[in-house]
């Protein structure tokens, strides 16, 4: 991995931030960017990089894995961008950098790049965050959502109905998020609190940008969702997605078990 600020990603081979050698690109290269893995990657969110990188290889493509840190140049190529949640201290560390790279992120979103933003990064991708004290902090505006801080946290397992089938995960957030008029949710809550505990929505999706509160990490637990993101990224990178034959029986059994054991 390039850069002495990069952090280890369990299972990722050394040098996976480098392009493939000529003639060894497989079906093509897919550039995966993890935003702020040191500051914004709690509750297992780093697995949302490890999982798609491994699945990209299994589908016959070559993942080029970048870690973007505050103050660094944004990678020249980005077909799949992921970001996670963080403590207040982590968010304060990166708060200036998202605005610095905002135009690039908005451009990638408009061009159809695949993005998965979890918890704190989901909130940053919205229009604004209103603190408990009433201070409004502007977001990137990629998703038409507004979040308000609360004293009470929403914690526990979640089951959703989505366009990617059943999705399971674990939420832990105090922010209460409202969708703007016309903003599609990522899913409908069957168990859990979701965006705000009252309207039955969870997350938000615009084009190929998904925001969600689901930790876990969410992608290893939901292979169909992971492959949707990989498929969008492959189309961006190569013009098409040619999936391989992957055995996801263990992951699907675990997912089904959580769906069955939770009411809703």
């Amino acid at each position: 991995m390039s850069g002495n600020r990069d952090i280890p990603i369990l299972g990722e081979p050394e040098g996976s931030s480098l392009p493939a050698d000529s003639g060894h690109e497989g079906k093509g290269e897919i550039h995966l960017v993890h935003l702020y893995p040191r500051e914004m990657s709690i509750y297992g969110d780093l697995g949302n990089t490890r999982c798609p990188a491994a699945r990209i290889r299994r589908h016959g493509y070559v993942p080029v894995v970048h870690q973007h840190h505050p103050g660094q140049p944004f990678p020249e190529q980005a077909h799949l961008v992921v970001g996670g949640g963080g403590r207040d201290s982590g968010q304060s560390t990166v708060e200036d950098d998202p605005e610095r790279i905002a135009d690039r992120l908005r451009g990638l979103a408009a061009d159809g790049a695949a993005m998965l933003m979890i918890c704190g990064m989901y909130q940053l991708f919205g229009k604004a965050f209103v603190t408990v004290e009433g201070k409004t902090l502007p977001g990137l505006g990629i998703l038409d959502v507004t979040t308000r801080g609360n004293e009470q946290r929403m914690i526990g397992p979640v089951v959703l109905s989505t366009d990617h089938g059943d999705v399971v995960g674990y939420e832990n957030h105090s922010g209460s998020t409202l969708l703007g008029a016309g903003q599609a949710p990522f899913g409908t809550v069957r168990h859990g609190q979701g965006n705000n505990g009252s309207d039955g929505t969870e997350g938000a999706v615009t084009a190929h940008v998904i925001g969600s509160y689901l930790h876990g990490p969410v992608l290893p637990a939901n292979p169909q969702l992971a492959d949707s993101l990989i498929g969008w990224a492959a189309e961006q990178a190569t013009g098409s997605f040619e999936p391989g034959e992957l055995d996801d029986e263990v992951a699907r059994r675990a997912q089904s078990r959580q769906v069955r054991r939770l009411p809703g």
Side-chain angles (χ1 to χ4, degrees), residues 169-234:
Y170 192 89
E171 63 184 343
N172 186 345
H173 58 103
S174 60
S176 179
T177 299
L178 294 176
L179 306 180
Q183 173 65 64
F186 169 51
T188 301
V189 177
R190 284 160 45 198
H191 182 88
Q193 300 296 307
N195 279 326
N196 48 59
S198 60
D199 67 8
T201 68
E202 204 290 321
V205 57
T206 296
H208 295 161
V209 180
I210 296 174
S212 174
Y213 279 114
L214 297 194
H215 297 283
V218 68
L219 293 185
N222 301 281
Q224 187 172 343
L225 173 61
D227 279 355
S228 292
L229 290 161
I230 292 169
W232 293 336

Side-chain angles (χ1 to χ4, degrees), residues 107-185:
L108 287 168
D111 289 342
M115 298 186 179
L116 176 67
M117 297 296 136
I118 300 299
C119 203
M121 290 304 299
Y122 167 36
Q123 295 170 353
L124 283 171
F125 266 52
K127 294 178 67 176
F129 183 93
V130 183
T131 68
V132 175
E133 296 77 20
K135 182 180 179 181
T136 299
L137 306 174
L140 302 183
I142 294 173
L143 297 168
D144 185 8
V145 303
T146 300
T147 302
R148 292 183 176 274
N150 295 311
E151 297 290 350
Q152 185 174 353
R153 300 191 71 83
M154 290 173 262
I155 304 175
V158 178
V159 176
L160 306 178
S161 295
T162 79
D163 289 342
H164 313 276
D166 291 342
V167 169
V168 301
Y170 192 89
E171 63 184 343
N172 186 345
H173 58 103
S174 60
S176 179
T177 299
L178 294 176
L179 306 180
Q183 173 65 64

Side-chain angles (χ1 to χ4, degrees), residues 25-140:
E25 302 90 346
K27 298 175 183 177
E29 290 181 352
I30 296 177
H31 288 251
L32 191 165
V33 180
H34 191 128
L35 298 175
Y36 318 121
R38 187 180 302 279
E39 299 85 1
M40 302 291 288
S41 188
I42 61 175
Y43 308 130
D45 292 336
L46 202 62
N48 290 332
T49 293
R50 175 66 185 116
C51 169
R55 293 185 71 85
I56 286 168
R57 292 187 184 94
R58 291 167 64 194
H59 282 299
Y61 296 83
V62 172
V64 182
V65 181
H66 307 274
Q67 297 187 26
H68 174 74
H69 304 286
Q72 289 190 344
F74 195 84
E76 291 185 9
Q77 296 189 74
H79 306 120
L80 172 56
V81 184
V82 299
R87 300 177 181 86
D88 290 345
S89 58
Q91 291 186 231
S92 64
T93 302
V94 307
E95 62 182 354
D96 294 332
D97 196 73
E99 183 58 33
R100 183 180 66 86
I101 62 172
D103 287 344
R104 183 69 193 285
L105 292 173
R106 294 181 188 119
L108 287 168
D111 289 342
M115 298 186 179
L116 176 67
M117 297 296 136
I118 300 299
C119 203
M121 290 304 299
Y122 167 36
Q123 295 170 353
L124 283 171
F125 266 52
K127 294 178 67 176
F129 183 93
V130 183
T131 68
V132 175
E133 296 77 20
K135 182 180 179 181
T136 299
L137 306 174
L140 302 183

